[in-house]
Amino acid sequence: MKMSSLVAYDDSESEDESCAQKEEGAPAPSQTDPAGCSNSDLRPRPADPVSDQSVTEQSGSTLHFYPELQHWDGGYCSGRKDKHFKDNSAKPRTAGPLQAPLCVPDASNPAKRVSASASGVRPYVPKRQRHARSEETEDHANPPEQVLDDLTRKSSVLSDGSLRVKACLGEKPKAAGIPRKLLMSLEGHQGPVNTVQWCPVPHVSHLLVSASMDKTFKVWDGAESGRCLRLYTCHSGAVRDASWTPCGQQLLTGSFDNTAAITDVETGQQTVKVDNQFKVMCAVLHPNSPDVFLCGGYSSVVKAWDSRCCKVVKAYKAAIQQTLDILFLRGGKDFITSSDCVSRDSADRTLIAWDYQTTAKVSNQLYHERYTCPSLALHPQEESFVAQTNGNYMALFSSQRPYRMNKRRRFDGHKVEGYAVQCDFSPDGAILASGSSTGSAHFYDYQSGRVLHSVQAHSQPCLRVSQHPVLPATAATCDWAGEIKIWH
């Protein structure tokens, strides 16, 4: 069978002349495969399917494929006088200048394509099949179940519970215990940690929020893994205070960037953000109206905000420079504020009791000593609260009018020395815990006032001891160096 019966050229060159020209221009084959094709000159062809019926060569001539010739094999091998063509199931492919052997596989059958290819030649894979294979590989590497599981895991801060907490939920509440051993250390903050607080919702009480001077606040798994579950960077200033909402799905924070914000725990989106026009030292939710929160700080005014309209609904003014802490009393009708007044006549401004509805001062003669009170804590069962003082002791007050101080009982043994050291009650109110500027954590018996136990928790000042609401004898501490520790 002659080439002229299969292929015709538009120019007047004969078959022998074109072959002679190609033999002169092509290098001699160094090795020949059983089909007669040179393996040393094999090159992969462009991976484009045949779209036209003709291919233009470099010489300007056009190679026509006749419709009746649909299958051929072996190709044209340079350096041979004879050409062998076979009528196989392989479909013709586009060929450039006939300089290298064409070993055309079957494009419709991948198995035949691989077997028909010469050694060292990558078989042609159509574009659609390449895309299909890449999609199959990605689906195999990341199956839909795994991708869905990863997405669920990223957004399952509140749905994933702790086995330790679940084991205690079905039991009767035990008496408060004293933590004595270190369970884990949580590191990640780049500045002092101002406060830590456990989530008040029992089934997710393993979550621990921390607020730091590094402009961030975080949510941790403080019961088991100790890993950081969420990092929030929505403030441009130091985060001074952070607390959970009663539902446990949002966080209220106050910052030195003059703003207070309510952030969704799962998504990290701010649902509310208000500008107080002063550095916020404390932000507290109203116990009976969660849509209202109070903000105090470097100002003589305490502002009450409505989160539904982001407007100031009430303002409480006093002749002070800044508010250090705010404490709502039981029922939410009255609240106590502490200030930094240390002047000669500061006895009437250190602690002030306010009527929430009328914004009037109920009493300003609560504490008559010349010490500031950096933090306040309400007893969970009895009608009383304590005030941390810079006199290196905690004073006890009645939470009912006229809010008299108990001069027979005080809790001393720790140091404050100007740091914002906070105090906290156990769930049953039997134990009162406090940090210390010496880095130790102190646990007091509420009824007697004596020290039950103290542990050297940190090398830097310990600013907060938060006792777990469900797990007995479990507490979290934070210090001025940015470290958080869990004790059991």
Side-chain angles (χ1 to χ4, degrees):
M1 183 181 297
K2 290 186 177 182
M3 185 72 174
S4 59
S5 62
L6 298 177
V7 180
Y9 291 86
D10 288 344
D11 56 12
S12 60
E13 278 188 333
S14 64
E15 176 187 351
D16 296 336
E17 291 176 355
S18 64
C19 292
Q21 292 177 2
K22 297 184 182 301
E23 288 179 358
E24 292 176 1
S30 60
Q31 183 179 357
T32 305
D33 62 358
C37 299
S38 173
N39 291 338
S40 62
D41 294 334
L42 292 179
R43 297 288 186 273
R45 290 295 180 182
D48 294 330
V50 177
S51 60
D52 300 330
Q53 295 296 326
S54 62
V55 178
T56 303
E57 295 187 358
Q58 294 178 355
S59 61
S61 61
T62 305
L63 177 63
H64 291 272
F65 294 96
Y66 290 117
E68 63 268 20
L69 180 61
Q70 298 180 356
H71 306 287
W72 63 294
D73 191 16
Y76 177 79
C77 302
S78 63
R80 290 182 56 111
K81 296 276 178 103
D82 54 334
K83 295 85 180 174
H84 299 280
F85 294 87
K86 295 181 182 180
D87 187 10
N88 293 334
S89 59
K91 190 177 181 179
R93 56 177 291 178
T94 303
L98 300 177
Q99 296 178 357
L102 293 174
C103 297
V104 182
D106 186 0
S108 62
N109 193 338
K112 291 184 180 181
R113 179 169 62 253
V114 175
S115 61
S117 301
S119 60
V121 179
R122 296 179 62 184
Y124 168 70
V125 181
K127 190 174 182 181
R128 291 183 179 179
Q129 292 188 10
R130 291 199 304 270
H131 282 293
R133 289 183 180 180
S134 62
E135 291 177 0
E136 291 177 0
T137 304
E138 293 177 358
D139 293 343
H140 181 72
N142 298 315
E145 295 81 2
Q146 182 178 353
V147 174
L148 182 60
D149 182 66
D150 293 341
L151 294 175
T152 305
R153 187 173 301 173
K154 289 182 180 179
S155 61
S156 59
V157 175
L158 296 175
S159 61
D160 293 341
S162 170
L163 297 178
R164 289 185 58 199
V165 174
K166 290 180 180 179
C168 296
L169 290 178
E171 301 177 358
K172 294 182 178 180
K174 298 180 180 179
I178 300 174
R180 300 176 184 272
K181 296 182 180 180
L182 177 63
L183 184 62
M184 66 182 80
S185 296
L186 312 180
E187 298 180 357
H189 281 295
Q190 304 300 320
V193 179
N194 293 311
T195 185
V196 290
Q197 187 184 37
W198 297 100
C199 181
V201 182
H203 69 276
V204 289
S205 58
H206 65 288
L207 300 178
L208 179 73
V209 64
S210 61
S212 173
M213 300 292 284
D214 63 2
K215 305 178 183 180
T216 66
F217 57 102
K218 299 182 179 183
V219 171
W220 309 77
D221 179 4
E224 293 184 2
S225 66
R227 61 189 180 96
C228 178
L229 302 178
R230 287 290 188 275
L231 168 64
Y232 308 93
T233 58
C234 51
H235 286 290
S236 59
V239 184
R240 183 61 178 79
D241 194 13
S243 59
W244 295 87
T245 58
C247 62
Q249 299 179 358
Q250 295 176 324
L251 294 168
L252 173 63
T253 55
S255 172
F256 282 178
D257 62 0
N258 299 346
T259 65
I262 297 179
T263 307
D264 187 89
V265 175
E266 291 283 7
T267 63
Q269 296 181 353
Q270 289 185 345
T271 57
V272 176
K273 190 171 185 178
V274 297
D275 186 2
N276 289 273
Q277 299 180 350
F278 58 81
K279 293 182 178 180
V280 180
M281 293 284 292
C282 51
V284 183
L285 287 165
H286 193 283
N288 295 339
S289 301
D291 295 325
V292 178
F293 60 91
L294 272 62
C295 293
Y298 286 80
S299 174
S300 60
V301 181
V302 174
K303 296 182 179 181
W305 293 86
D306 191 331
S307 61
R308 294 165 293 187
C309 59
C310 295
K311 294 182 179 179
V312 178
V313 292
K314 297 180 184 298
Y316 308 86
K317 298 181 180 180
I320 58 175
Q321 294 180 353
Q322 63 175 310
T323 301
L324 301 178
D325 199 7
I326 302 174
L327 176 68
F328 269 102
L329 301 180
R330 195 163 285 105
K333 295 182 179 180
D334 301 337
F335 66 92
I336 310 294
T337 60
S338 63
S339 69
D340 63 341
C341 292
V342 290
S343 60
R344 183 174 299 177
D345 59 343
S346 63
D348 61 341
R349 290 176 289 174
T350 304
L351 294 178
I352 303 175
W354 301 84
D355 184 277
Y356 170 73
Q357 291 293 340
T358 63
T359 70
K361 295 180 182 178
V362 177
S363 176
N364 57 2
Q365 300 292 327
L366 279 69
Y367 186 58
H368 300 279
E369 300 186 25
R370 297 189 182 99
Y371 297 116
T372 59
C373 301
S375 66
L376 307 169
L378 181 67
H379 195 280
Q381 296 181 0
E382 296 186 6
E383 298 295 333
S384 62
F385 69 93
V386 295
Q388 182 78 268
T389 72
N390 272 298
N392 299 329
Y393 68 91
M394 289 178 286
L396 180 63
F397 296 86
S398 171
S399 60
Q400 294 180 343
R401 299 180 184 182
Y403 313 112
R404 293 178 179 176
M405 184 178 70
N406 189 339
K407 297 182 180 180
R408 298 181 179 179
R409 193 192 312 175
R410 64 169 55 183
F411 309 89
D412 54 4
H414 59 282
K415 302 291 183 181
V416 178
E417 298 176 349
Y419 288 95
V421 178
Q422 303 175 50
C423 48
D424 182 56
F425 280 99
S426 61
D428 58 359
I431 297 176
L432 176 62
S434 173
S436 176
S437 62
T438 60
S440 58
H442 295 257
F443 299 89
Y444 297 90
D445 181 82
Y446 171 73
Q447 296 297 334
S448 63
R450 63 185 181 90
V451 179
L452 298 176
H453 181 67
S454 63
V455 56
Q456 188 64 36
H458 303 272
S459 59
Q460 295 291 324
C462 178
L463 302 182
R464 176 70 187 265
V465 181
S466 179
Q467 303 186 70
H468 199 280
V470 176
L471 297 177
T474 302
T477 60
C478 61
D479 70 351
W480 192 253
E483 190 177 19
I484 304 171
K485 293 183 178 181
I486 310 298
W487 301 83
H488 179 68

